[in-house]
Amino acid sequence: MTFAFDKERHRQGKGSEVEIFEAYLRQKGLKLTVPRRQLLELIFDDHSHFTADQLFDRCRERDVRISKATLYRTLAILTDCKLLSAHDFGGEAKYYEHVFGHEHHDHLVCLACRKIVEFQSPDIEKLQDQAAEELGFAPIHHSLAIFGVCAACAETAEGRKVIEEGQAGPTSVSD
Amino acid sequence: MTFAFDKERHRQGKGSEVEIFEAYLRQKGLKLTVPRRQLLELIFDDHSHFTADQLFDRCRERDVRISKATLYRTLAILTDCKLLSAHDFGGEAKYYEHVFGHEHHDHLVCLACRKIVEFQSPDIEKLQDQAAEELGFAPIHHSLAIFGVCAACAETAEGRKVIEEGQAGPTSVSD
DNA sequence: CTGCGTGCAAAGTATTTGCAGGGTC
DNA sequence: GACCCTGCAAATACTTTGCACGCAG
């Protein structure tokens, strides 16, 4: 049987992450251990987008001693039970983000400062589903990232350079 | 100066890849060597989406002896001069695709057979630019991938499993 | 108690880089 | 002839895995 994903509970808001996690672990015969509980708290305390490495650093800051192995293993579980989702914005590493209690959204990524901003567009969603159906695909999920330069960076030399280069060549096409 | 990207020529169609490549190399003070020429031919012969590894295999098939180092270095150049673009569809490796003579498009990725289908939607493009502007971003490029199951795979057990799992959990959430 | 979980270190992947000899312009 | 290129192997960066011991249920 597939994990009984409780959409009702999923809509409730903060705090229930633990419940969902516990339920998931139980039905999988897994255990709620100290490291897992700690990670859960650290993650849902406030990060919305983070890499495995950032999370690891955060552990050290808060004196939570966990190995990277456990960290990765836990991220995998959290992704499986839909508390987190993983994205790849083309940087070095994968980004994880909260899913619980969040509407689906897409991302704007600043190529100058790597800041990530979320946005929603039901219209885009609609068009996507439409496009998928036209081509005979059963859509499951999607990932849309718009890469550009944020307002703040557009003022900087770095930001301007990125924009100018973006006009002609994507990476090191300049000079 | 930014690379004088010749949009006119870029619209002409097959064959001019070599010219664009040559022009780019020349103005960068780089050289048109045998390995580079061979790779260019292999790539534009027909692959539309491929990973570095697939290209490498293809080299061996056709008795083109090139090291992976050179292969990656050449892919970087081709990406810089906009003959190729790189995407990350969440699999293990990056996918490269032809840009030359292709309108911008987005992707449908079959999660069962990994087939990639292209589609275009000017309406979606428009909404994206709009969303970016609303948030103060200067959009440079974007990447939209819809993950789902293609018509053919929807008929198979594997495809159905993926769809069912997609309803509740994304990865190994089953049984 | 049984079996999953943990840390550690070693193994993997995918990609990049240093270096010495070779080829292009 | 100068400088860029190439292959090779070693180096990276991120993530996964094997193993022996420890803790949750």
PDB file of all heavy atoms in Angstrom, chain B residues 109-126:
ATOM      1  N   VAL B 109       9.282  15.440 -18.991  1.00  0.00           N
ATOM      2  CA  VAL B 109      10.178  14.322 -18.732  1.00  0.00           C
ATOM      3  C   VAL B 109       9.361  13.142 -18.234  1.00  0.00           C
ATOM      4  O   VAL B 109       8.614  13.264 -17.258  1.00  0.00           O
ATOM      5  CB  VAL B 109      11.220  14.694 -17.651  1.00  0.00           C
ATOM      6  CG1 VAL B 109      12.164  13.536 -17.413  1.00  0.00           C
ATOM      7  CG2 VAL B 109      11.988  15.939 -18.066  1.00  0.00           C
ATOM      8  N   CYS B 110       9.485  12.015 -18.917  1.00  0.00           N
ATOM      9  CA  CYS B 110       8.756  10.824 -18.459  1.00  0.00           C
ATOM     10  C   CYS B 110       9.541  10.163 -17.334  1.00  0.00           C
ATOM     11  O   CYS B 110      10.695   9.774 -17.521  1.00  0.00           O
ATOM     12  CB  CYS B 110       8.553   9.833 -19.597  1.00  0.00           C
ATOM     13  SG  CYS B 110       7.741   8.323 -19.023  1.00  0.00           S
ATOM     14  N   LEU B 111       8.888  10.054 -16.194  1.00  0.00           N
ATOM     15  CA  LEU B 111       9.576   9.490 -15.035  1.00  0.00           C
ATOM     16  C   LEU B 111       9.729   7.981 -15.135  1.00  0.00           C
ATOM     17  O   LEU B 111      10.455   7.369 -14.365  1.00  0.00           O
ATOM     18  CB  LEU B 111       8.812   9.846 -13.754  1.00  0.00           C
ATOM     19  CG  LEU B 111       8.842  11.339 -13.390  1.00  0.00           C
ATOM     20  CD1 LEU B 111       7.914  11.618 -12.220  1.00  0.00           C
ATOM     21  CD2 LEU B 111      10.262  11.755 -13.048  1.00  0.00           C
ATOM     22  N   ALA B 112       9.047   7.379 -16.080  1.00  0.00           N
ATOM     23  CA  ALA B 112       9.159   5.922 -16.218  1.00  0.00           C
ATOM     24  C   ALA B 112      10.273   5.557 -17.187  1.00  0.00           C
ATOM     25  O   ALA B 112      11.127   4.741 -16.875  1.00  0.00           O
ATOM     26  CB  ALA B 112       7.830   5.336 -16.679  1.00  0.00           C
ATOM     27  N   CYS B 113      10.284   6.188 -18.358  1.00  0.00           N
ATOM     28  CA  CYS B 113      11.292   5.797 -19.353  1.00  0.00           C
ATOM     29  C   CYS B 113      12.335   6.884 -19.592  1.00  0.00           C
ATOM     30  O   CYS B 113      13.232   6.718 -20.403  1.00  0.00           O
ATOM     31  CB  CYS B 113      10.624   5.432 -20.676  1.00  0.00           C
ATOM     32  SG  CYS B 113       9.789   6.805 -21.499  1.00  0.00           S
ATOM     33  N   ARG B 114      12.222   8.002 -18.880  1.00  0.00           N
ATOM     34  CA  ARG B 114      13.191   9.093 -18.990  1.00  0.00           C
ATOM     35  C   ARG B 114      13.181   9.763 -20.367  1.00  0.00           C
ATOM     36  O   ARG B 114      14.116  10.495 -20.701  1.00  0.00           O
ATOM     37  CB  ARG B 114      14.613   8.612 -18.659  1.00  0.00           C
ATOM     38  CG  ARG B 114      14.859   8.497 -17.168  1.00  0.00           C
ATOM     39  CD  ARG B 114      15.184   9.858 -16.563  1.00  0.00           C
ATOM     40  NE  ARG B 114      14.668   9.981 -15.197  1.00  0.00           N
ATOM     41  CZ  ARG B 114      14.699  11.120 -14.502  1.00  0.00           C
ATOM     42  NH1 ARG B 114      15.247  12.201 -15.013  1.00  0.00           N
ATOM     43  NH2 ARG B 114      14.176  11.176 -13.308  1.00  0.00           N
ATOM     44  N   LYS B 115      12.172   9.479 -21.133  1.00  0.00           N
ATOM     45  CA  LYS B 115      12.058  10.149 -22.428  1.00  0.00           C
ATOM     46  C   LYS B 115      11.829  11.637 -22.178  1.00  0.00           C
ATOM     47  O   LYS B 115      11.196  12.025 -21.203  1.00  0.00           O
ATOM     48  CB  LYS B 115      10.878   9.569 -23.203  1.00  0.00           C
ATOM     49  CG  LYS B 115      10.644  10.217 -24.556  1.00  0.00           C
ATOM     50  CD  LYS B 115       9.617   9.438 -25.370  1.00  0.00           C
ATOM     51  CE  LYS B 115       8.230   9.454 -24.717  1.00  0.00           C
ATOM     52  NZ  LYS B 115       7.286   8.563 -25.390  1.00  0.00           N
ATOM     53  N   ILE B 116      12.353  12.460 -23.048  1.00  0.00           N
ATOM     54  CA  ILE B 116      12.180  13.902 -22.910  1.00  0.00           C
ATOM     55  C   ILE B 116      11.491  14.441 -24.158  1.00  0.00           C
ATOM     56  O   ILE B 116      11.904  14.161 -25.273  1.00  0.00           O
ATOM     57  CB  ILE B 116      13.547  14.599 -22.741  1.00  0.00           C
ATOM     58  CG1 ILE B 116      14.188  14.130 -21.436  1.00  0.00           C
ATOM     59  CG2 ILE B 116      13.374  16.111 -22.739  1.00  0.00           C
ATOM     60  CD1 ILE B 116      15.629  14.544 -21.291  1.00  0.00           C
ATOM     61  N   VAL B 117      10.408  15.148 -23.941  1.00  0.00           N
ATOM     62  CA  VAL B 117       9.675  15.734 -25.058  1.00  0.00           C
ATOM     63  C   VAL B 117       9.679  17.246 -24.891  1.00  0.00           C
ATOM     64  O   VAL B 117       9.581  17.751 -23.779  1.00  0.00           O
ATOM     65  CB  VAL B 117       8.205  15.234 -25.061  1.00  0.00           C
ATOM     66  CG1 VAL B 117       7.385  15.955 -26.121  1.00  0.00           C
ATOM     67  CG2 VAL B 117       8.167  13.733 -25.283  1.00  0.00           C
ATOM     68  N   GLU B 118       9.814  17.940 -25.992  1.00  0.00           N
ATOM     69  CA  GLU B 118       9.826  19.397 -25.915  1.00  0.00           C
ATOM     70  C   GLU B 118       8.447  19.962 -26.213  1.00  0.00           C
ATOM     71  O   GLU B 118       7.672  19.361 -26.936  1.00  0.00           O
ATOM     72  CB  GLU B 118      10.803  19.961 -26.941  1.00  0.00           C
ATOM     73  CG  GLU B 118      12.201  19.439 -26.768  1.00  0.00           C
ATOM     74  CD  GLU B 118      13.118  19.927 -27.880  1.00  0.00           C
ATOM     75  OE1 GLU B 118      12.644  20.631 -28.784  1.00  0.00           O
ATOM     76  OE2 GLU B 118      14.311  19.577 -27.833  1.00  0.00           O
ATOM     77  N   PHE B 119       8.192  21.104 -25.655  1.00  0.00           N
ATOM     78  CA  PHE B 119       6.965  21.806 -26.043  1.00  0.00           C
ATOM     79  C   PHE B 119       7.198  23.298 -25.901  1.00  0.00           C
ATOM     80  O   PHE B 119       8.127  23.724 -25.219  1.00  0.00           O
ATOM     81  CB  PHE B 119       5.779  21.345 -25.193  1.00  0.00           C
ATOM     82  CG  PHE B 119       5.816  21.820 -23.770  1.00  0.00           C
ATOM     83  CD1 PHE B 119       5.175  22.998 -23.389  1.00  0.00           C
ATOM     84  CD2 PHE B 119       6.503  21.089 -22.809  1.00  0.00           C
ATOM     85  CE1 PHE B 119       5.208  23.429 -22.063  1.00  0.00           C
ATOM     86  CE2 PHE B 119       6.544  21.518 -21.486  1.00  0.00           C
ATOM     87  CZ  PHE B 119       5.897  22.692 -21.115  1.00  0.00           C
ATOM     88  N   GLN B 120       6.353  24.034 -26.557  1.00  0.00           N
ATOM     89  CA  GLN B 120       6.493  25.484 -26.475  1.00  0.00           C
ATOM     90  C   GLN B 120       5.190  26.081 -25.990  1.00  0.00           C
ATOM     91  O   GLN B 120       4.119  25.571 -26.301  1.00  0.00           O
ATOM     92  CB  GLN B 120       6.774  26.059 -27.855  1.00  0.00           C
ATOM     93  CG  GLN B 120       8.172  25.819 -28.336  1.00  0.00           C
ATOM     94  CD  GLN B 120       8.365  26.425 -29.715  1.00  0.00           C
ATOM     95  OE1 GLN B 120       8.380  25.722 -30.714  1.00  0.00           O
ATOM     96  NE2 GLN B 120       8.489  27.737 -29.765  1.00  0.00           N
ATOM     97  N   SER B 121       5.305  27.133 -25.248  1.00  0.00           N
ATOM     98  CA  SER B 121       4.103  27.828 -24.823  1.00  0.00           C
ATOM     99  C   SER B 121       4.401  29.299 -24.605  1.00  0.00           C
ATOM    100  O   SER B 121       4.843  29.706 -23.539  1.00  0.00           O
ATOM    101  CB  SER B 121       3.557  27.210 -23.539  1.00  0.00           C
ATOM    102  OG  SER B 121       2.490  28.004 -23.051  1.00  0.00           O
ATOM    103  N   PRO B 122       4.168  30.072 -25.626  1.00  0.00           N
ATOM    104  CA  PRO B 122       4.414  31.516 -25.535  1.00  0.00           C
ATOM    105  C   PRO B 122       3.630  32.121 -24.374  1.00  0.00           C
ATOM    106  O   PRO B 122       4.100  33.057 -23.726  1.00  0.00           O
ATOM    107  CB  PRO B 122       3.890  32.037 -26.875  1.00  0.00           C
ATOM    108  CG  PRO B 122       3.919  30.866 -27.788  1.00  0.00           C
ATOM    109  CD  PRO B 122       3.632  29.679 -26.931  1.00  0.00           C
ATOM    110  N   ASP B 123       2.480  31.558 -24.095  1.00  0.00           N
ATOM    111  CA  ASP B 123       1.669  32.094 -22.999  1.00  0.00           C
ATOM    112  C   ASP B 123       2.399  31.924 -21.673  1.00  0.00           C
ATOM    113  O   ASP B 123       2.425  32.818 -20.838  1.00  0.00           O
ATOM    114  CB  ASP B 123       0.321  31.386 -22.935  1.00  0.00           C
ATOM    115  CG  ASP B 123      -0.565  31.780 -24.103  1.00  0.00           C
ATOM    116  OD1 ASP B 123      -0.279  32.831 -24.720  1.00  0.00           O
ATOM    117  OD2 ASP B 123      -1.517  31.047 -24.394  1.00  0.00           O
ATOM    118  N   ILE B 124       2.980  30.753 -21.489  1.00  0.00           N
ATOM    119  CA  ILE B 124       3.720  30.525 -20.253  1.00  0.00           C
ATOM    120  C   ILE B 124       4.906  31.487 -20.174  1.00  0.00           C
ATOM    121  O   ILE B 124       5.167  32.086 -19.135  1.00  0.00           O
ATOM    122  CB  ILE B 124       4.205  29.057 -20.147  1.00  0.00           C
ATOM    123  CG1 ILE B 124       2.997  28.128 -19.967  1.00  0.00           C
ATOM    124  CG2 ILE B 124       5.161  28.893 -18.983  1.00  0.00           C
ATOM    125  CD1 ILE B 124       3.362  26.667 -19.803  1.00  0.00           C
ATOM    126  N   GLU B 125       5.595  31.657 -21.294  1.00  0.00           N
ATOM    127  CA  GLU B 125       6.740  32.579 -21.314  1.00  0.00           C
ATOM    128  C   GLU B 125       6.315  33.957 -20.822  1.00  0.00           C
ATOM    129  O   GLU B 125       6.977  34.594 -20.013  1.00  0.00           O
ATOM    130  CB  GLU B 125       7.273  32.754 -22.746  1.00  0.00           C
ATOM    131  CG  GLU B 125       7.545  31.478 -23.490  1.00  0.00           C
ATOM    132  CD  GLU B 125       8.874  30.869 -23.124  1.00  0.00           C
ATOM    133  OE1 GLU B 125       9.897  31.557 -23.241  1.00  0.00           O
ATOM    134  OE2 GLU B 125       8.891  29.698 -22.686  1.00  0.00           O
ATOM    135  N   LYS B 126       5.205  34.371 -21.378  1.00  0.00           N
ATOM    136  CA  LYS B 126       4.713  35.697 -21.066  1.00  0.00           C
ATOM    137  C   LYS B 126       4.447  35.830 -19.565  1.00  0.00           C
ATOM    138  O   LYS B 126       4.863  36.793 -18.922  1.00  0.00           O
ATOM    139  CB  LYS B 126       3.420  35.948 -21.857  1.00  0.00           C
ATOM    140  CG  LYS B 126       3.290  37.332 -22.429  1.00  0.00           C
ATOM    141  CD  LYS B 126       2.086  37.392 -23.388  1.00  0.00           C
ATOM    142  CE  LYS B 126       2.280  36.512 -24.622  1.00  0.00           C
ATOM    143  NZ  LYS B 126       1.057  36.314 -25.401  1.00  0.00           N
TER     144      LYS B 126
END
